[in-house]
Amino acid sequence: MNNVNNAMTVVASSSYQMTNNLKIGADIEYSKNPDFNNEVKGLVKLTYKFDTKLSGEGRTKSEK
């Protein structure tokens, strides 16, 4: 199909931790396969870690 006999994919990704709770990252993927001659995909992601700890909750008297 499309004169392509083999499939190939190259993936690169990177991320940077901006703060303890915030990280940004990016992925890029290049592929060549029988369905597509050249295909490029990209993804940018932002991850935020919410602080779900409530002070004082789950402690016993000896831990206070």
Side-chain angles (χ1 to χ4, degrees):
M1 189 178 225
N2 291 334
N3 295 327
V4 176
N5 296 326
N6 298 318
M8 171 190 73
T9 301
V10 178
V11 179
S13 64
S14 178
S15 66
Y16 177 72
Q17 182 114 16
M18 298 173 76
T19 66
N20 285 338
N21 294 343
L22 187 63
K23 183 170 30 172
I24 189 167
D27 300 336
I28 190 162
E29 178 180 330
Y30 169 79
S31 63
K32 187 173 185 176
N33 56 53
D35 294 326
F36 299 101
N37 285 334
N38 294 306
E39 180 181 25
V40 178
K41 298 180 204 176
L43 173 68
V44 176
K45 53 191 170 186
L46 184 67
T47 306
Y48 184 78
K49 184 171 56 173
F50 291 95
D51 186 13
T52 57
K53 267 189 188 175
L54 298 176
S55 61
E57 186 174 305
R59 294 187 198 170
T60 63
K61 284 187 177 183
S62 62
E63 292 176 325
K64 288 185 179 178

